[in-house]
Amino acid sequence: MSLDSEQLAAFRYQLLSLRTAHEGWEASRHLVDEMHLPATMQQLVDAAVKSSLPTPVKHMIGKVLGHATVRRVKDLPGEELRQLTGLPPTKAVRALCLLFDLTSSAYKTPNLSSADVERTVREHPNPFDLLLVSDVASLLDLGAGDLSFADELVLHYGGKLSEKGTPFVLHCLDRLRPNSQLGGPLHPDPPRLDRLRSQKNVQFRYLRDRDMFDLSDLDHARSIARRYAIATCWAPATPTFAYEPSRLAASIIQDDLRQTKGAFRQVQAEGEPALEVRHRDRTLLFPPWKFDIRGPLALLQLVAMRGSLCVLGAVDSQVFWEILVQLIEDPRARPPDRLLTPSVLSESLGTVYQHLDNLPIGSSLDLSDVTELRHEFPAVLAQYPKPFHFRYVVVRHGAIFPGIPASSTARAFQHMAEESPPWFLTLVPEVTPES
């Protein structure tokens, strides 16, 4: 049964549309790497047979893909794929993967109970070692910035996971626009980006211009996993997470911002929306959302819903204390409409504050040893309406720790004489993953 020119043209147009518009295009990249390509080819043949495509199209796909022994990209039947799809061989296979929705099964949910995760974290000083014992080695890095943490993580775990034959799913999100003149050093340099993309055993995705609290379209397109072994955020943004809106009136937050940061307003900077801040005798420009306040509850719920284990690194003091008071069961830890100055913290937290304030750099503390963990957190994100809580929380004082990958921001703290040492939080959520 032959494929006529009209059917061929329609099929090519369908593939081209997917190639240019489908959110899952980047997610298809790993399906053509050396580890996955042979299985991908068989899956495509099987999917074509079961599809609702015109019979001549299905026959042609089977003819092109079903009779080739493919172990690497160079083994692909290039000329036949070009005639069928109008695309170069690798892009042709990736487009077919999108057509048959192979990317939807690319990101599996780890089969980890909260008890398993807690046991692993208790046994391993390095929380990222969960990647080595999880059935799915996956990590979501929120606010990934210059990708320095991702780079260190791959250096530390890429080889070990490759030896085990376990693919490493590494997804990084950042809100900075690719060509923005704002954000400066937070943009990744091209060599680092190329290095991460070229790792054979790493299913790496870098999603820019993405608000971490607005992932519904990526979920709908199945371009990211519903849940990862680990969700992490390095240097949670100040002031975004430095004030909890459910605890502090908006007027108090705005007054404190102006007093501590300076006068600010929305402007256009070389045709780009920006936030102008007049701090002392300087005028500074930031991305327009720099002073958007979300609060620690939103961050805690996001990482709890996305990760079987949550890690927050290089957390500055103001953000840390706002997060910390949310983790405690006693509501007196969260005094309404009072900024968390040392005197207020001492008053509201009592001995808990003393324990943490005196925690030496490099040391850790099981938070449940000094206070009762909060039983239930309110759901503040519309996408996740169910309450949640953490069964285990470890607090460490410091920016970097031996053997633990870190971001460039964390490493920069050791050179910031005027900044107080940051904090490192490891949290195990007790939550039923979404289907």
Side-chain angles (χ1 to χ4, degrees), residues 371-394:
T371 189
E372 186 177 3
L373 297 182
R374 193 168 182 175
H375 298 163
E376 185 175 277
F377 290 75
V380 295
L381 300 177
Q383 189 178 356
Y384 314 106
K386 296 181 180 179
F388 66 101
H389 72 275
F390 297 97
R391 61 180 288 149
Y392 182 61
V393 177
V394 177

Side-chain angles (χ1 to χ4, degrees), residues 79-93:
E79 188 56 37
E80 291 90 340
L81 279 170
R82 285 189 182 90
Q83 291 177 7
L84 175 64
T85 67
L87 294 168
T90 305
K91 291 180 179 178
V93 173

Side-chain angles (χ1 to χ4, degrees), residues 218-240:
L218 295 178
D219 284 328
H220 180 71
R222 298 170 182 174
S223 299
I224 58 175
R226 286 286 184 177
R227 192 168 185 82
Y228 296 77
I230 303 174
T232 187
C233 181
W234 286 86
T238 302
T240 302

Side-chain angles (χ1 to χ4, degrees), residues 324-401:
L324 192 281
V325 301
Q326 294 298 329
L327 297 171
I328 296 173
E329 173 63 17
D330 190 344
R332 291 175 296 179
R334 297 177 288 281
D337 292 333
R338 298 185 71 186
L339 297 170
L340 297 181
T341 62
S343 61
V344 170
L345 287 166
S346 180
E347 176 188 336
S348 60
L349 295 180
T351 58
V352 177
Y353 178 68
Q354 296 173 19
H355 280 293
L356 290 170
D357 191 45
N358 294 322
L359 192 65
I361 303 301
S363 298
S364 64
L365 175 71
D366 181 340
L367 190 58
S368 62
D369 286 345
V370 296
T371 189
E372 186 177 3
L373 297 182
R374 193 168 182 175
H375 298 163
E376 185 175 277
F377 290 75
V380 295
L381 300 177
Q383 189 178 356
Y384 314 106
K386 296 181 180 179
F388 66 101
H389 72 275
F390 297 97
R391 61 180 288 149
Y392 182 61
V393 177
V394 177
V395 178
R396 296 188 190 189
H397 202 185
I400 55 175
F401 304 91

Side-chain angles (χ1 to χ4, degrees), residues 101-156:
D101 203 22
L102 295 195
T103 57
S104 66
S105 61
Y107 307 126
K108 297 179 180 178
T109 300
N111 185 24
L112 292 169
S113 71
S114 299
D116 290 338
V117 176
E118 179 182 343
R119 183 166 50 252
T120 300
V121 173
R122 286 183 180 275
E123 293 173 354
H124 294 254
N126 182 348
F128 299 110
D129 281 354
L130 182 67
L131 295 170
L132 299 175
V133 300
S134 173
D135 60 318
V136 176
S138 59
L139 183 141
L140 175 66
D141 188 17
L142 298 161
D146 65 359
L147 300 178
S148 52
F149 167 69
D151 206 11
E152 285 200 18
L153 193 72
V154 169
L155 184 65
H156 197 97

Side-chain angles (χ1 to χ4, degrees), residues 37 133 144 215 217 220 254 392 399 433:
L37 186 56
V133 300
L215 305 178
D217 60 332
H220 180 71
Q254 293 301 308
Y392 182 61

